[in-house]
Amino acid sequence: TAMRNFFTEAGYMEVETPVLQSIPGGAAAHPFMTHHNALDIPLYLRVANELYLKRLIVGGFEGVYEFSKNFRNEGMDRTHNPEFTAMEIYVAYKDYNWMMKFTERLLETCAIAVNGTTKATFGEHEIDFKAPYKRITMADAITHFTGFDINGKSEAEIFTAAKDLGIAVDNTMGKGKLIDEIFGAKCEGNFIQPTFITDYPVSMSPLTKKHRDNPELTERFELMVCGKEIANAYSELNDPIDQRERFEDQLRLSEKGDDEAMFIDQDFLRALEYGMPPTSGLGIGMDRLIMFLTNNPSIQEVLFFPQMRPEKVAALASVEDYEAIGV
């Protein structure tokens, strides 16, 4: 409610976008798949709502947001549930520098609404959401914690470095995925207080505008708290030619065996061809944020109905199955 009020007071509009999508776009994630009987077409449960919200920016809305249920057919642990709530907001004529300041003010507001202070206890840590937050580039973070400088390195060199660091990698991983694995294994857990990790490599960020000072990087940040990402934001890529090339790079990764690579979304590319103004977008994992604000170490503790393995009887599929156990 505090977040919704914050956006409303800023003049932004709450919207709804499709849960059933023909292309599972907006995130590198493995989707759930279903079938539409009337149209006789495959559909996917959304992994993110990003590409639809950006279509609304193309359509003339200057600020839109949505609290969305997203679905990712991936692993489960204490910070991941296959069905989760995300908030995404897109604001025209802004960039990621503006969005960092906006995020700081937003999370300050939420922390005070929940706990009456900017501080929150999570396990053995006291987290302070008071602005400003520390900022460090991804390359500098990796260099600091591993001694390896990713700048200017080839995919083969990064692959070798990851193996030397004891990180499990394989030949399906492209350059971006390898860098992500190194950061996740060696850096991420060290950021306890809110910290912006900035300026991700182009290969890790297919929907992000290239950095104004270094075309090998993008204008992207993730916010780390207690060793976990709770927010992801960009200066949004609004060049349809560049976007098509990035999607084609993702297609090559898919052909290489990366099942989280993005699809080519022709409809979204057509929308960009009409013209999208410079825009910044932010996504926040609501369940994880609530974990940190309420001192709950497991995502199952902040969901009324977390996904669980069915009881044996409930999972049986036929009469014969029930008869076999005497039911």
Side-chain angles (χ1 to χ4, degrees):
T1 299
M3 192 174 286
R4 178 177 277 116
N5 291 341
F6 187 90
F7 296 148
T8 300
E9 290 171 7
Y12 305 137
M13 178 181 291
E14 185 169 8
V15 298
E16 291 184 344
T17 61
V19 175
L20 293 173
Q21 302 180 350
S22 58
I23 297 290
H30 191 76
F32 287 92
M33 190 173 183
T34 187
H35 186 82
H36 193 299
N37 291 335
L39 297 177
D40 193 24
I41 58 172
L43 290 173
Y44 301 86
L45 296 181
R46 68 178 166 205
V47 296
N49 54 354
E50 173 170 345
L51 302 188
Y52 284 89
L53 291 172
K54 288 199 278 195
R55 284 170 171 84
L56 293 176
I57 297 294
V58 170
F61 294 91
E62 291 198 10
V64 292
Y65 70 94
E66 180 179 17
F67 293 94
S68 68
K69 281 290 186 182
N70 295 346
F71 307 85
R72 299 183 183 178
N73 197 0
E74 300 170 346
M76 295 170 56
D77 57 34
R78 65 184 183 85
T79 60
H80 293 88
N81 193 66
E83 176 182 353
F84 63 97
T85 301
M87 185 292 303
E88 293 202 26
I89 182 168
Y90 292 81
V91 184
Y93 308 108
K94 306 297 182 185
D95 65 9
Y96 82 142
N97 292 310
W98 178 90
M99 189 60 81
M100 275 187 264
K101 295 177 181 178
F102 184 81
T103 302
E104 290 171 336
R105 291 189 288 113
L106 172 65
L107 294 184
E108 273 188 344
T109 299
C110 291
I112 292 170
V114 173
N115 294 318
T117 172
T118 60
K119 296 180 179 179
T121 299
F122 185 74
E124 62 184 15
H125 302 294
E126 183 179 74
I127 311 302
D128 194 347
F129 286 95
K130 184 175 178 57
Y133 302 160
K134 181 181 176 181
R135 304 179 185 188
I136 182 172
T137 68
M138 170 165 273
D140 286 347
I142 291 175
T143 300
H144 178 76
F145 290 108
T146 70
F148 177 69
D149 185 359
I150 64 172
N151 289 310
K153 298 298 192 298
S154 67
E155 182 176 312
E157 289 173 312
I158 295 171
F159 183 89
T160 300
K163 291 188 72 173
D164 292 344
L165 290 166
I167 300 168
V169 294
D170 60 59
N171 292 328
T172 69
M173 296 179 179
K175 188 174 181 180
K177 191 75 173 285
L178 292 168
I179 294 170
D180 192 35
E181 291 294 320
I182 293 172
F183 180 80
K186 300 298 181 180
C187 308
E188 192 174 83
N190 295 291
F191 298 105
I192 304 303
Q193 296 301 321
T195 304
F196 291 121
I197 310 299
T198 69
D199 301 350
Y200 283 51
V202 169
S203 54
M204 291 184 66
S205 311
L207 299 169
T208 312
K209 183 173 286 190
K210 288 180 180 177
H211 199 285
R212 64 198 72 186
D213 298 323
N214 185 344
E216 293 186 359
L217 302 177
T218 60
E219 296 193 352
R220 174 184 177 186
F221 71 79
E222 289 186 318
L223 178 63
M224 299 292 164
V225 177
C226 290
K228 293 293 181 182
E229 172 224 335
I230 64 168
N232 187 21
Y234 315 149
S235 295
E236 302 295 336
L237 178 55
N238 60 344
D239 179 340
I241 297 173
D242 191 355
Q243 183 65 83
R244 182 177 293 279
E245 292 171 353
R246 306 275 195 99
F247 279 150
E248 289 171 351
D249 289 340
Q250 289 290 299
L251 180 60
R252 284 187 281 273
L253 288 174
S254 179
E255 292 168 348
K256 188 177 178 180
D258 186 347
D259 64 357
E260 293 186 352
M262 293 185 190
F263 291 52
I264 297 179
D265 189 330
Q266 301 290 354
D267 183 69
F268 176 65
L269 288 171
R270 184 166 57 247
L272 289 186
E273 288 169 356
Y274 283 112
M276 186 174 83
T279 298
S280 186
L282 166 72
I284 292 178
M286 296 301 298
D287 310 306
R288 197 174 289 179
L289 174 61
I290 292 166
M291 286 170 57
F292 294 141
L293 289 177
T294 60
N295 196 17
N296 279 293
S298 171
I299 196 170
Q300 285 80 15
E301 297 297 325
V302 300
L303 300 175
F304 284 131
F305 302 103
Q307 190 67 50
M308 305 291 286
R309 188 182 301 279
E311 294 179 348
K312 184 174 182 180
V313 172
L316 300 179
S318 68
V319 172
E320 289 77 13
D321 290 333
Y322 286 96
E323 289 175 344
I325 62 168
V327 175

